[in-house]
Amino acid sequence: MTSYHLDLGETRTEDLANILNLTLDDETVDIDEFVTSDTDSSRPRPGELVLMRGDSHHPAASAWLNDVEDTSTHQDVVIIAGDPTSPRTRRIHLTNAWATWTFDRDDDNDDEADAIGIAFDDITLK
């Protein structure tokens, strides 16, 4: 299984425990297979996935979650598949992404979501 990291910009990342339920055009796709594929699409591929956060929550990621929990806030998201320090590591770009739901194990701390559902208008690999 590949390790995944949320790219927070300015060389900051947060380790993700997992990425689940990647769907593209209503078809379930294995995220590890998608990352190793060379598929390139000339048409947008809308979809959804679930980001499972690790034990260590970066403050920038928590702030980002607060922003995207507002479903009217859409932004591009980058997920790093593998070593975030390697320039050859593949990056998953989610275009015009927004949160569809969040889950907190501890309801007393709303800015520390443990899982977040993300919908997007397109997905590309670089």
Side-chain angles (χ1 to χ4, degrees), residues 41-100:
S41 178
S42 59
R43 65 177 177 77
R45 291 179 289 176
E48 296 181 345
L49 54 75
V50 176
L51 302 178
M52 300 293 298
R53 296 178 78 187
D55 293 331
S56 177
H57 294 180
H58 193 290
S62 296
W64 172 79
L65 284 172
N66 284 334
D67 289 342
V68 297
E69 280 182 311
D70 174 2
T71 57
S72 66
T73 300
H74 293 207
Q75 56 188 263
D76 295 345
V77 174
V78 177
I79 299 168
I80 302 168
D83 179 0
T85 63
S86 172
R88 289 203 240 114
T89 299
R90 300 209 73 182
R91 270 115 173 115
I92 304 166
H93 293 257
L94 307 177
T95 304
N96 200 31
W98 67 97
T100 56

Side-chain angles (χ1 to χ4, degrees), residues 14 37 47 55 60 63 76 102 122:
E14 177 176 299
S37 72
D55 293 331
D76 295 345
T102 60
D122 193 18

Side-chain angles (χ1 to χ4, degrees), residues 1-2 10 18 27 37 50 57 60 62 66 69 73 97 101 109 118 121:
M1 183 177 127
T2 303
E10 300 172 8
N18 207 349
E27 181 180 327
S37 72
V50 176
H57 294 180
S62 296
N66 284 334
E69 280 182 311
T73 300
W101 57 268
N109 195 350
I118 301 285
D121 288 341

Side-chain angles (χ1 to χ4, degrees), residues 99-121:
T100 56
W101 57 268
T102 60
F103 172 76
D104 300 327
R105 277 185 277 206
D106 178 5
D107 290 331
D108 295 335
N109 195 350
D110 290 335
D111 64 346
E112 294 294 317
D114 294 300
I116 182 167
I118 301 285
F120 49 87
D121 288 341

Side-chain angles (χ1 to χ4, degrees), residues 23-34:
T23 59
L24 299 175
D25 296 319
D26 297 322
E27 181 180 327
T28 302
V29 178
D30 180 88
I31 187 70
D32 290 330
E33 288 179 21
F34 177 79

